[in-house]
Amino acid sequence: MKPLGHKAYGSIPHLPGSKRGPGDKGLTAHQAAILTDRMRPGDRIYVTEKLDGSNVAVAKIVGQIVPLGRAGYRAETSRQRQHQLFADYVFRHWAAFDSLLDEGERVCGEWLAMAHSIRYDLHGRPPLAAFDLMREHDRVPYARFVQRTAGVGDVMGCVPLIHQGGPLSVAEAIALVRVSQYGAVDAPEGVVYRVERHGVCDFLGKYVRPDFVPGRLFARVTGKAEVWNWAPDR
């Protein structure tokens, strides 16, 4: 069963030229233009580095702290070691998440413990990087999200913000993430755009570089051992 009754996080549509997977959706031309060229009165654009990990969440449900995978199932029930480690990490830092979250909220982020396609140097950085704070399907305004998550910075980082204000072209955005701000050893995956209209999140969009190869470091792809960016103290 899914504790939330739905997925922990949905899919973000792609900007034109972004590498898509099977079934991925794209933004309309009008939406893409708002992010990259012609914003509307009352808009504010945020652009963050897209990190390459496992999409996870931590929710507070009836007073309990619950680690979740993207699909909405409890992380500790996963057969994947990376998700079991995530659940253990959340329970070890229960107090930090309990202080962060109000009833019914969840913080969503990238769990970077195991390398998927990009290796990360996580020395001095938490293996969990947040990108959203949500209640049901509504997002907390970005500035408030950053302010609140800063209080648990030793346990959970934030995906790096590379731009805020007006529109930003994809070329300019990609140039800003050529050097990762979260320790990526390999070329960053891409960027995520977010537009807030009069302080309320309107929609998101993402751009993934065309030469990005999803899951290229997975053991089932390489035939070798898994690559880990982080492992808990034994």
Side-chain angles (χ1 to χ4, degrees):
M1 295 180 64
K2 298 181 179 183
L4 297 172
H6 52 74
K7 290 182 178 180
Y9 204 78
S11 299
I12 300 175
H14 290 254
L15 282 149
S18 173
K19 181 167 185 175
R20 299 194 199 184
D24 282 353
K25 297 180 180 180
L27 294 169
T28 66
H30 176 65
Q31 289 174 319
I34 289 170
L35 299 176
T36 62
D37 185 44
R38 300 188 303 273
M39 75 176 186
R40 306 155 297 183
D43 282 352
R44 188 167 187 82
I45 312 296
Y46 298 89
V47 185
T48 56
E49 179 181 340
K50 190 177 190 310
L51 302 184
D52 178 45
S54 183
N55 187 312
V56 295
V58 184
K60 182 178 279 190
I61 304 172
V62 196
Q64 299 299 309
I65 297 302
V66 184
L68 301 167
R70 180 177 189 165
Y73 297 104
R74 296 185 69 111
E76 67 268 28
T77 67
S78 172
R79 295 180 180 179
Q80 294 190 41
R81 178 64 174 152
Q82 62 171 330
H83 296 141
Q84 295 167 5
L85 285 176
F86 169 64
D88 180 68
Y89 185 83
V90 171
F91 293 139
R92 283 200 289 154
H93 298 288
W94 176 90
F97 293 107
D98 187 52
S99 67
L100 167 67
L101 297 169
D102 293 331
E103 178 61 38
E105 288 185 332
R106 67 187 183 279
V107 61
C108 306
E110 292 285 337
W111 177 241
L112 300 169
M114 190 178 85
H116 290 210
S117 297
I118 297 171
R119 295 163 298 165
Y120 289 87
D121 179 358
L122 295 178
H123 290 93
R125 299 181 181 91
L128 178 62
F131 50 69
D132 248 327
L133 185 59
M134 303 181 70
R135 180 184 295 276
E136 290 296 332
H137 302 294
D138 297 325
R139 293 177 167 85
V140 170
Y142 188 81
R144 180 64 176 149
F145 153 73
V146 171
Q147 180 185 45
R148 287 182 58 185
T149 54
V152 291
D154 291 341
V155 171
M156 179 180 67
C158 261
V159 296
L161 177 69
I162 62 169
H163 169 82
Q164 61 177 312
L168 186 71
S169 73
V170 167
E172 291 173 306
I174 292 299
L176 290 173
V177 293
R178 284 205 178 107
V179 177
S180 170
Q181 295 182 33
Y182 212 86
V185 176
D186 306 299
E189 179 181 350
V191 292
V192 176
Y193 285 76
R194 171 187 183 126
V195 57
E196 292 188 357
R197 187 163 174 77
H198 303 297
V200 177
C201 185
D202 191 6
F203 64 90
L204 307 179
K206 66 183 177 183
Y207 181 86
V208 176
R209 56 184 171 85
D211 62 340
F212 179 73
V213 180
R216 70 178 183 89
L217 297 175
F218 285 164
R220 66 175 181 267
V221 174
T222 64
K224 301 178 182 178
E226 296 164 336
V227 178
W228 293 90
N229 300 312
W230 175 92
D233 295 334
R234 298 299 178 186

